Amino acid sequence: MAMVSHARDERDDSRIVAASLETPEVFGELFHRHAPRLHAYVKRRLGLPLADDLVAETFTTAFRQRGKFDGRAEFGAWLWGIASNLIAKHHRQETRMYRAFARTGVDPAEDGVADLASDRASAAALGPHLARALASLSAQERHLVLLLAWGDMSYAEIAATLGLPLGTVKAKIHRARTKLRKALPQENNDG
């Protein structure tokens, strides 16, 4: 997506929030724009049953608090901030899910949709190790790394979402990645 269209979408999002104060049903457009990406991310973090509920709760909270949205931050960052707070409440569930994946090798978030074969083979081989490594991270470290990897967010988007300085986000993600590298088996690339 080009930066120009992204900026236009964010301005449009702010206008939709403002319009929804008078005409509440227009807020549904924001759901259509943002829910699929947010749902995919939450599903990877907490599994399908919690993803449905958490995304619904995120949008319900955003709808109820839309009068507090002042447009200084992007709507997407504001929305993901709400979701981040709700995800944090499920830290124990997420840790249990990763530990179960590490033990069994069965990804509880897998929905059966076919991915590229090579990606699936790599993920299947590394999955339990990655799950164990992710479970060993603190909740904040895991959250930052997964916003980057599964949320497909930039460092700047993560900083805006969590209300942290950009440098802090970069440093924490670097430390978390270092921990993950140490926890994961090393590939042997002999050529």
Side-chain angles (χ1 to χ4, degrees), residues 148-160:
L148 183 70
W150 292 345
D152 197 27
M153 295 179 112
S154 69
Y155 289 102
E157 288 173 319
I158 294 168

Side-chain angles (χ1 to χ4, degrees), residues 126-131 133-134 179-187:
L126 191 57
H129 299 291
L130 180 58
L134 286 169
K179 288 180 182 179
L180 287 172
R181 271 191 223 88
K182 288 179 182 174
L184 292 171
Q186 299 299 313
E187 284 188 31

Side-chain angles (χ1 to χ4, degrees), residues 93-108:
Q93 167 64 23
E94 181 181 36
T95 301
R96 281 193 301 270
M97 190 174 84
Y98 287 127
R99 287 185 179 141
F101 186 17
R103 278 191 316 274
T104 65
V106 177
D107 185 351

Side-chain angles (χ1 to χ4, degrees), residues 97-190:
M97 190 174 84
Y98 287 127
R99 287 185 179 141
F101 186 17
R103 278 191 316 274
T104 65
V106 177
D107 185 351
E110 180 62 45
D111 64 0
V113 176
D115 294 330
L116 295 174
S118 63
D119 289 348
R120 290 180 65 82
S122 296
L126 191 57
H129 299 291
L130 180 58
R132 189 174 300 111
L134 286 169
S136 74
L137 295 177
S138 73
Q140 185 183 48
E141 290 169 333
R142 182 170 50 237
H143 190 54
L144 289 166
V145 167
L146 295 179
L147 281 172
L148 183 70
W150 292 345
D152 197 27
M153 295 179 112
S154 69
Y155 289 102
E157 288 173 319
I158 294 168
T161 296
L162 301 179
L164 295 172
L166 181 59
T168 300
V169 168
K170 288 180 177 181
K172 289 180 179 280
I173 289 175
H174 175 74
R175 283 193 292 274
R177 283 178 159 172
T178 300
K179 288 180 182 179
L180 287 172
R181 271 191 223 88
K182 288 179 182 174
L184 292 171
Q186 299 299 313
E187 284 188 31
N188 186 0
N189 294 327
D190 289 337

